[in-house]
Amino acid sequence: MRTDRILAFLEAIRDNNNRPYFQQHKKEYETAKADFEEIIDYLIGEMRAADPTLEPMVAKDCTYRFYRDTRFSEDKSPYKRHFGAFIAPHGARRSLLSGYYVHLQPGNSMIATGVYCLDKPVLKRVRDIIVNFYDEWKGVAEAPELVKVFGKVTCMNGLKRAPMGYPIDCEGIEYLKMKDYMVSKSFTDKEVLEENFVDKVLSECKVSIPWNTYVNEIMSE
C-alpha cells in the first residue's frame, strides 16, 4: 500500500490546483486514488471483523469526492488537497452515526472517531446522558487506552456557558458545552510513509471501538 504516491500527488496538486495541471497528471491521480482505496478496503475488512455494527461496504462507498464544489466558496480551487474516507454503519460516508474517518494530506494526516453537526434532538439526548449517567459517560470517554492514543474528547463547535436548561455546576459541564464529540489522532508525513502505517491506523481505530459503539447507542435510542 503506497502512501508515498498518495502524498506525492497531493503535494503536487496543492501547488498546482488547476484543471490544466490535473488533466496532464490524471494518471498520477488515478494511481494515488487506487492506492488510497486499497488502504480503505483493507481497513474495512479488518474493522468489520472487530466491529460488528459495520455492514458490508467497499472503499467507493466510503471515500469522498476529490472534486470540490466551489459554487458557494471564495476558494475556487477545483480539487481538494486531501483524500478522505468515512467507514461507518448505516450509509458509510453518508452515515449520520459515528464512524472511523481517515484523512491523508501532506502535513495534516489524521484519523478521527465521533459525531458532529448534531441536530437539536440528538444533541439533547447526548447531554441528558451526560447529566444523568455521567460516570458511565466518563468511563467510556476517558477510558485510559482511548486517552493514551487520542487524547481527550474535543469539539469543533461549543458554547461558552452551560446550555439552557442544564445545571452549571454538574460534573460534566465541559461536555455539556460541546455541540459535537470527537477523538482524533494526527500523523506526521514521516509516520504516513512508514511501512507499518496502515496497520498502526488499524490498531488505533480498534482502540476507539468502545467509544464509537457507545456514541452510536446513544444516537440510536
Side-chain angles (χ1 to χ4, degrees):
M1 287 176 270
R2 297 284 300 275
T3 55
D4 58 328
R5 293 191 298 208
I6 295 172
L7 291 190
F9 169 75
L10 292 173
E11 285 176 353
I13 203 70
R14 176 192 62 197
D15 300 331
N16 303 275
N17 203 312
N18 58 76
R19 289 183 176 85
Y21 179 88
F22 183 82
Q23 291 302 320
Q24 292 171 11
H25 297 269
K26 194 165 185 179
K27 184 176 180 180
E28 289 98 314
Y29 161 69
E30 290 171 349
T31 298
K33 179 174 177 285
D35 288 333
F36 184 69
E37 289 179 349
E38 181 183 4
I39 291 171
I40 300 306
D41 275 328
Y42 172 76
L43 292 174
I44 289 170
E46 296 298 318
M47 287 303 295
R48 286 196 65 233
D51 182 348
T53 68
L54 296 174
E55 302 95 348
M57 63 185 82
V58 296
K60 285 181 172 57
D61 300 323
C62 303
T63 52
Y64 293 100
R65 281 173 50 86
F66 189 64
Y67 304 88
R68 297 183 64 247
D69 183 350
T70 62
R71 289 174 299 172
F72 308 107
S73 174
E74 293 183 5
D75 178 5
K76 299 303 181 182
S77 302
Y79 311 107
K80 295 178 180 177
R81 298 164 179 83
H82 67 273
F83 285 141
F86 190 45
I87 303 169
H90 305 331
R93 69 175 181 271
R94 296 183 176 87
S95 177
L96 299 178
L97 297 178
S98 176
Y100 311 96
Y101 177 65
V102 181
H103 180 106
L104 293 189
Q105 179 179 5
N108 190 35
S109 296
M110 61 172 289
I111 57 175
T113 302
V115 288
Y116 67 101
C117 294
L118 296 176
D119 60 29
K120 289 183 179 180
V122 175
L123 183 57
K124 182 180 185 304
R125 191 180 309 143
V126 175
R127 287 171 172 166
D128 288 347
I129 290 290
I130 292 169
V131 169
N132 297 311
F133 303 96
Y134 180 65
D135 288 344
E136 177 184 271
W137 169 274
K138 183 178 179 180
V140 179
E142 300 181 19
E145 190 175 10
L146 184 72
V147 173
K148 181 179 179 180
V149 172
F150 292 93
K152 293 185 177 181
V153 174
T154 59
C155 68
M156 296 178 66
N157 303 285
L159 304 173
K160 293 183 178 180
R161 301 176 182 176
M164 187 178 298
Y166 292 90
I168 62 173
D169 58 349
C170 73
E171 288 185 282
I173 185 63
E174 293 306 315
Y175 291 117
L176 289 182
K177 293 178 183 178
M178 295 180 179
K179 299 173 73 174
D180 41 59
Y181 301 86
M182 305 287 296
V183 296
S184 63
K185 168 72 181 289
S186 297
F187 298 96
T188 65
D189 290 353
K190 181 180 178 181
E191 289 174 313
V192 174
L193 294 172
E194 290 174 353
E195 187 175 349
N196 67 340
F197 170 69
V198 178
D199 285 323
K200 187 175 182 180
V201 167
L202 173 63
S203 175
E204 295 179 348
C205 282
K206 286 181 178 179
V207 169
S208 69
I209 289 176
W211 160 253
N212 186 71
T213 302
Y214 182 64
V215 170
N216 283 340
E217 287 175 350
I218 295 172
M219 294 185 67
S220 300
E221 287 179 359

